[in-house]
Amino acid sequence: MLAITMLKGTKIAIIGLGKIGGALASSLVRNRIVSKENLLGTTGHRDSALEAAKRYGIKAVTDNVRAVADAQIVILAVKPQTMKRVLTEIKEAIREDQLVITLAAARTTRFIEEMLQKAIPVVRAMPNTPCLVNAGMTVLCPGRYATKEHLEIAREIFASVGLVAVIDNEELMDAVTALSGSGPAYAYIMIEALAEGGVKVGLPRSLSTMLAAQSLLGAAKMVLETGEHPAKLKDEVTTPAGVTIDGIMALEDGGIRVTLIKTVDRATEKSKELSQ
Ligand SMILES: NC(=O)c1ccc[n+]([C@@H]2O[C@H](COP(=O)([O-])OP(=O)(O)OC[C@H]3O[C@@H](n4cnc5c(N)ncnc54)[C@H](OP(=O)(O)O)[C@@H]3O)[C@@H](O)[C@H]2O)c1
């Protein structure tokens, strides 16, 4: 993890302390990137604010204007369909010396800038829920008024909870959303299905789930840490006339490759559709 220096003492407001906002809040506190006192979250309802405060151990309210007024960094983590309402609400309170980081799928930096009607630095981020266990993947993209420095601040925030990549072409954010934003869901299905396979051939379910999950985790680490092509790593496991090739044959028979390619393709189309 990066040594965090820029964020010390910085006040951050997380608008929308739900699954991803909450995961980010608790990770920032747990990793001592931001102190509890400097983090304020909001939700749409008083009950959920109380619950979020308890669950994530930070102060949570329902007053977005108050939260924004006090912060230097504003993280927008509400649902895409709630974004317009929230931006209208905070428009007056937001200042050009603040940094807005938006996590919403299918909401462009241009959309946010135009809604706020100010030259606000906006960085769009697409994280995923494994941020909760410091194994997140976040892709960042700068808006019109965001400088390299703003991008670095956003990078520091998300580098504390996983890997970070930066892209310039915002059009690719739909593909990013479909691949790494939604990716954990696809992986859970793979783990679940592999575990069912283990159960089918006699393994206890808990052991089977552990074997499946750790195998995916280990394979992912091999790809990231060796830098080798996945096909080469697969070949190394596949002994001629051995066990693995029979498993691979069943995978190919089920069309796993084309299924996964279509998965990302369809999800990208959906993200584009929602961006309209
Ligand atoms: N989940 C993911 O893996 C993931 C990954 C990357 C990006 N994202 C993006 O992150 C955003 C949030 O997703 P999520 O899955 O975390 O949704 P979520 O769990 O439903 O959280 C949404 C949060 O927004 C709050 N909220 C609703 N109306 C509000 C308002 N007017 N002011 C302040 N807060 C309000 C909700 O509070 P109440 O419960 O009181 O309504 C809730 O705490 C989405 O735009 C999504 O595209 C999600």
Side-chain angles (χ1 to χ4, degrees):
M1 295 292 145
L2 277 180
I4 304 297
T5 50
M6 271 197 277
L7 296 170
K8 284 270 178 275
T10 304
K11 289 194 172 174
I12 300 181
I14 300 183
I15 309 298
L17 213 49
K19 284 185 281 296
I20 199 76
L24 191 60
S26 55
S27 304
L28 289 175
V29 171
R30 193 182 57 243
N31 294 329
R32 296 168 193 257
I33 312 304
V34 179
S35 66
K36 279 184 187 184
E37 297 68 40
N38 287 330
L39 203 51
L40 177 64
T42 68
T43 67
H45 306 86
R46 193 189 291 255
D47 287 355
S48 56
L50 289 173
E51 202 188 307
K54 210 159 121 192
R55 181 180 305 167
Y56 304 120
I58 65 163
K59 202 167 171 197
V61 296
T62 53
D63 187 345
N64 292 329
V65 173
R66 189 184 125 202
V68 163
D70 283 347
Q72 286 140 293
I73 298 174
V74 177
I75 299 179
L76 300 172
V78 293
K79 291 275 185 205
Q81 58 270 29
T82 316
M83 197 57 108
K84 215 168 185 170
R85 179 148 46 104
V86 165
L87 291 171
T88 306
E89 200 185 332
I90 64 173
K91 199 162 95 179
E92 297 301 320
I94 206 122
R95 305 179 308 269
E96 290 175 10
D97 63 350
Q98 292 171 316
L99 166 63
V100 171
I101 300 176
T102 172
L103 312 188
R107 286 287 173 263
T108 62
T109 54
R110 179 62 67 108
F111 172 83
I112 313 264
E113 289 158 359
E114 284 176 359
M115 281 294 301
L116 293 174
Q117 293 176 343
K118 287 176 197 164
I120 301 282
V122 178
V123 171
R124 184 169 166 192
M126 178 47 61
N128 60 16
T129 46
C131 284
L132 204 47
V133 290
N134 291 346
M137 179 70 236
T138 305
V139 178
L140 303 174
C141 178
R144 258 191 299 179
Y145 308 107
T147 62
K148 272 189 178 160
E149 213 179 6
H150 293 121
L151 215 44
E152 276 316 300
I153 294 170
R155 187 195 283 277
E156 283 211 31
I157 291 177
F158 293 99
S160 69
V161 290
L163 295 182
V164 178
V166 178
I167 59 170
D168 290 327
N169 180 0
E170 192 166 347
E171 283 181 14
L172 292 177
M173 284 305 261
D174 291 312
V176 166
T177 305
L179 182 46
S180 58
S182 305
Y186 316 147
Y188 298 137
I189 290 175
M190 286 182 239
I191 292 169
E192 194 190 2
L194 286 170
E196 295 271 288
V199 169
K200 172 81 174 73
V201 291
L203 292 174
R205 184 169 292 277
S206 60
L207 176 63
S208 198
T209 303
M210 186 202 284
L211 300 191
Q214 180 67 6
S215 299
L216 258 70
L217 176 66
K221 273 175 89 80
M222 286 289 282
V223 171
L224 290 171
E225 290 178 17
T226 65
E228 294 286 6
H229 192 288
K232 181 170 181 280
L233 294 167
K234 179 259 299 166
D235 286 354
E236 283 166 11
V237 188
T238 313
T239 316
V243 170
T244 311
I245 191 65
D246 275 39
I248 289 175
M249 196 165 67
L251 273 180
E252 298 289 9
D253 194 36
I256 183 138
R257 283 174 201 267
V258 77
T259 301
L260 292 176
I261 294 167
K262 278 186 183 168
T263 300
V264 178
D265 190 46
R266 294 241 178 106
T268 303
E269 284 312 308
K270 179 69 179 183
S271 180
K272 280 187 185 159
E273 206 181 294
L274 292 176
S275 305
Q276 300 307 313

